[in-house]
Amino acid sequence: MILSSARLSIRPFAAEDAQTLADYRSDPDVARYQGWSTPFPAETAARLIAELTDPAEPGWFQYAVDLDGTLIGDIGVNTHENLMQADIGYTIAPAHQGRGYATEALQRMLQHLFLDRGLRRVSAECDARNERSAKLLARLGFRREGHRVEHTWIKGEWTDDLLFGMLAKDFGTPDRPVRTESRRTGRCGQRPSAAR
């Protein structure tokens, strides 16, 4: 399965992506609010890629975010056992941040999860200090549902978690439009037809 947007492809990882995945996940700024430690060895990246199975099955599946044949990030989808909801996470390599790629990739993935797979709910959480991630989720139309104070022990410290959620019925509503163009254009499209 390959999902396409205006500038990106969201595809399964390939074995040859391991080194690039390891490189950007080894960046301390990228890993700061993530669950892995640095460095992120190429062997670990290769193992992660090799262990990926069916994206429609329960559990985590990591997708590659591709720009003109170059791996620039990844999106993780954790499908719940009931196959009606999922958690989502994302990482974009530093050289490609600030260009709207995360917004574009996540919009396309949400479209797939809600309209193609028929999920009822998608959730996300982030470290409360990760303001850019929280702003991205709000911009995409996620509702902030909670703030868990000193909830997660990670990398030697207690951190606060922000909880976000979106229901299928809220995806692409007038107050939460589905963007079909790049963020740079400033234009928002209408909710795509579920029949497409």
Side-chain angles (χ1 to χ4, degrees), residues 10 20 65 161 167 183 186:
I10 301 167
T20 303
V65 178
D161 297 332
L167 297 174
R183 190 174 109 185

Coordinates of all heavy atoms in Angstrom, one line a residue, residues 10 20 65 161 167 183 186:
I10 N 3.6 7.8 1.3 CA 3.6 7.1 2.6 C 3.6 5.7 2.2 O 2.6 5.2 1.6 CB 2.5 7.5 3.5 CG1 2.5 9.1 3.7 CG2 2.5 6.8 4.8 CD1 1.3 9.6 4.4
T20 N 19.2 5.3 6.8 CA 18.6 6.6 6.9 C 17.7 6.7 8.2 O 17.8 7.7 8.9 CB 17.8 7.0 5.7 OG1 18.6 6.8 4.5 CG2 17.2 8.4 5.7
V65 N 7.9 7.9 5.3 CA 7.4 9.1 4.7 C 8.5 9.5 3.7 O 9.7 9.7 4.0 CB 7.2 10.3 5.7 CG1 6.8 11.6 4.9 CG2 6.1 9.9 6.7
D161 N 2.4 14.4 30.0 CA 1.9 13.9 28.7 C 0.7 14.7 28.4 O -0.2 14.9 29.2 CB 1.5 12.5 28.8 CG 2.7 11.5 29.0 OD1 3.8 11.9 28.7 OD2 2.5 10.4 29.6
L167 N -12.3 12.0 16.5 CA -13.3 11.1 16.1 C -13.5 11.2 14.6 O -13.4 12.2 14.0 CB -14.6 11.3 16.8 CG -14.6 11.1 18.3 CD1 -15.9 11.5 18.9 CD2 -14.2 9.7 18.7
R183 N 0.7 23.3 3.0 CA 0.5 24.4 4.0 C 0.9 25.8 3.4 O 0.4 26.8 3.8 CB 1.2 24.1 5.3 CG 0.9 25.0 6.4 CD 1.6 24.5 7.7 NE 2.6 25.4 8.0 CZ 3.5 25.3 8.9 NH1 3.4 24.2 9.7 NH2 4.4 26.2 9.1
G186 N -1.7 27.9 1.8 CA -2.7 28.6 2.7 C -4.2 28.2 2.3 O -5.1 28.8 2.9

